[in-house]
Amino acid sequence: MASEELEEGGYSLNNHSAASEEISKYFTGTHEVQECIEGQGEVDLHTHLANCKKNPGHKNFVPVNELTIEHFPPSFHDDLLLGLTKVVADLTVRIAVQFTSLGRPEFLPGTSDPYPCYNNRGKNSMRTGTGKVWQVIKHTQERKDRTCPCPECVNSDTPSKVWWGVHVQTAKHVVYDSSEVIQSSCRLWFDDDTSPVVNIYGWKMEDGVTAWDLSLLTYVTHDLEVGDKLGLMKRWQVALWRKVNLLLLRS
């Protein structure tokens, strides 16, 4: 099978797993999702903006498509850093989950604090959260059992033989397990209200650490333009990340 793998070197959920039990004793984190009324779609975010508890602190918020180097502190006026910031934004996804797993625990690990969405177990209620593209793999396998596993291809007599697996890292409380992954999708490149809707579809969970609130999921697409664009962005992000780190080591 021909494939292309792109990832940030030396970092995996296994690194978190070793330390997760110890760290969870001291930090449980902040848990936030945008929940929708059961049976309804995503709420109008602009309608609810005024009621957002964070809103007063966002007075100086700069949309990413308007971000320039002048928005950075003077000591950070660097084109590489600006480029890295923008490509990280490009690789940020909005995850929409349509189902809440029956397997969600009642409490956060090691605490008596309620686990997010526990009371919604088994319900087809929608919630949204964010994640980031971690790895992009292009599959060109000709075997019939390795064709694109997206919902469209699974129900097609002519599934695509070329497809992309997109590993997405997010919080465990956003997508808890495989039953939630397969009923979820990721929206790409949602910078403003005029952004076209581009979705990739949930396939499986690769790894998860409840104590560290981390999930690594695989979403899929056979859209040539989308797959190639994501691959190019990931290559650029990895290259910029390395350059910025070299600059920091030399400073």
Side-chain angles (χ1 to χ4, degrees), residues 97-108:
V97 190
Q98 306 289 346
F99 176 73
T100 302
S101 171
L102 290 169
R104 283 187 174 242
E106 185 174 1
F107 302 108
L108 292 167

Side-chain angles (χ1 to χ4, degrees), residues 8 21 32 45 98 104 117 131 143-144 159 162 171 185 199 212 236 246:
E8 296 157 47
E21 183 175 351
E32 296 179 341
L45 298 181
Q98 306 289 346
R104 283 187 174 242
C117 302
R143 287 167 36 200
K144 291 182 179 179
V162 178
S185 62
N199 287 321
W212 245 59
W236 184 231
L246 283 174

